[in-house]
Amino acid sequence: MNNIWSDHVQGIMTLYLSRKLRFDDIFFTQYEKLFNLDHNKDLKILEIGCGPGALAESLHRWYPKAQITAIDRDSIFISFARDNISGVRFLEGDATHLPFENDSFDVTISNTVQEHIEPSAFWGEQRRVLKPGGVCLCLSARKGIHCPAPCLEMTNEEKEFWDSLPQSEDELKKYNVCRFPMSEAELPTSMESHGFIDVTTGFAIIDLTPDATKYSDKMAEAMIEAGRQSSLEAIRSAHSDHAEKAISAVNDKYEERLRLYRSGIKQWDTSVSVTMVIRGTKG
């Protein structure tokens, strides 16, 4: 069993809830233009590095005629996805050695995966499994905006908890996280250099502001809850026996944020993500 990522880098709910928001149907029109896929075709789509499955879940709704397969090397993510998401085939496997025949898929798609994989393996394996003329979609997170509500600032209990932990090796370096970053210019250049043609780029701007009236109460509260789960998973991932006070403090401050929202007391906290979409076809 491989659970390195879910145990040491990003937890299930941190990834699932944040991606569920970013790939909500309200944002589909942005992705639809950038993906430029034919809704009328019975496409075979492969998502690489699917994590707990939020993007694959959205793809199943957005392209109901498509046959969607999603792969990740983390066993815990795949188990969660299989248990919670229907209509998608989830498999455990490695992006650098995809367990599929040549020319198997019409579309490959990945979200924040490229920066962790050596480029020739990342592009080469996708080009191998794509049919001639198949589409490769690479989604890459760019610098966004994060402005928290005052009531969500780090508490003394959280600070004391994090300060109490022994210094350890940087987890990101230890597990080769973001070892192959590329700029906005380097990404399409790299795709072209590995045999893809008709390369295009674009950006999806995902504005998550709970107090914005364009969002339903359910969506707004989901934004707040995603932040809570991310904070809680970060504490629990430290595997410390002294986390109770920090966990309680996190829950208290997010309950306060919910109370303010439900009372109509606006905080205008916001998180704006910028996702670059690089699209190319197999030449």
Side-chain angles (χ1 to χ4, degrees):
M1 176 179 286
N2 183 335
N3 58 353
I4 289 174
W5 198 277
S6 56
D7 269 3
H8 301 284
V9 182
Q10 289 174 303
I12 289 174
M13 300 314 295
T14 298
L15 272 183
Y16 180 70
L17 294 179
S18 63
R19 291 182 177 183
K20 192 173 179 68
L21 288 169
R22 291 202 299 273
F23 297 113
D24 189 89
D25 292 348
I26 196 170
F27 303 120
F28 176 48
T29 54
Q30 292 191 65
Y31 294 115
E32 183 179 26
K33 292 177 182 177
L34 297 169
F35 292 175
N36 191 22
L37 301 177
D38 191 338
H39 287 268
N40 296 315
K41 286 187 177 180
D42 298 328
L43 298 172
K44 292 184 68 177
I45 299 176
L46 171 66
E47 185 191 355
I48 296 166
C50 65
L55 174 54
E57 185 177 28
S58 293
L59 290 171
H60 177 58
R61 293 194 308 272
W62 296 345
Y63 302 97
K65 289 188 176 182
Q67 176 186 325
I68 298 168
T69 301
I71 189 169
D72 199 284
R73 66 179 181 176
D74 192 295
S75 310
I76 302 299
F77 287 158
I78 293 299
S79 179
F80 175 90
R82 286 173 175 165
D83 289 344
N84 291 278
I85 297 168
S86 61
V88 178
R89 179 189 181 206
F90 289 101
L91 300 172
E92 189 175 338
D94 192 333
T96 64
H97 297 91
L98 294 173
F100 307 108
E101 299 292 332
N102 295 351
D103 307 333
S104 296
F105 293 92
D106 301 291
V107 181
T108 58
I109 185 170
S110 62
N111 175 49
T112 62
V113 175
Q114 168 278 316
E115 60 267 32
H116 311 303
I117 301 176
E118 191 279 321
S120 62
F122 177 74
W123 301 116
E125 273 295 272
Q126 290 184 75
R127 193 171 185 279
R128 180 184 68 77
V129 301
L130 278 170
K131 298 175 184 178
V135 173
C136 175
L137 296 169
C138 175
L139 281 61
S140 178
R142 302 287 103 182
K143 185 177 180 180
I145 299 169
H146 181 64
C147 180
C151 67
L152 295 180
E153 295 289 351
M154 181 175 285
T155 64
N156 290 333
E157 291 85 355
E158 289 172 274
K159 188 175 187 305
E160 288 174 6
F161 171 76
W162 291 115
D163 288 346
S164 72
L165 298 178
Q167 295 296 317
S168 59
E169 183 179 352
D170 187 330
E171 296 287 282
L172 299 187
K173 291 182 180 178
K174 182 178 179 181
Y175 298 113
N176 292 323
V177 175
C178 205
R179 187 179 173 186
F180 304 98
M182 294 189 197
S183 71
E184 290 81 0
E186 290 170 336
L187 273 165
T189 300
S190 181
M191 180 183 267
E192 287 179 322
S193 71
H194 287 89
F196 290 93
I197 61 173
D198 301 324
V199 174
T200 61
T201 65
F203 297 85
I205 312 300
I206 308 304
D207 163 22
L208 298 177
T209 306
D211 290 324
T213 56
K214 63 184 175 181
Y215 296 123
S216 67
D217 289 343
K218 181 179 179 181
M219 181 74 165
E221 293 194 12
M223 296 177 195
I224 297 169
E225 189 60 35
R228 184 207 301 258
Q229 293 303 320
S230 178
S231 295
L232 291 174
E233 280 197 330
I235 293 169
R236 289 166 179 152
S237 69
H239 304 294
S240 170
D241 294 329
H242 306 287
E244 294 85 357
K245 289 183 179 179
I247 289 173
S248 179
V250 166
N251 280 319
D252 286 347
K253 71 182 186 181
Y254 276 96
E255 286 302 315
E256 174 63 8
R257 180 65 188 94
L258 285 170
R259 185 192 71 78
L260 292 170
Y261 174 77
R262 291 166 181 167
S263 301
I265 303 173
K266 295 183 183 294
Q267 302 299 291
W268 291 114
D269 45 324
T270 188
S271 179
V272 180
S273 65
V274 180
T275 299
M276 184 177 185
V277 179
I278 307 94
R279 183 188 192 278
T281 58
K282 178 177 177 177

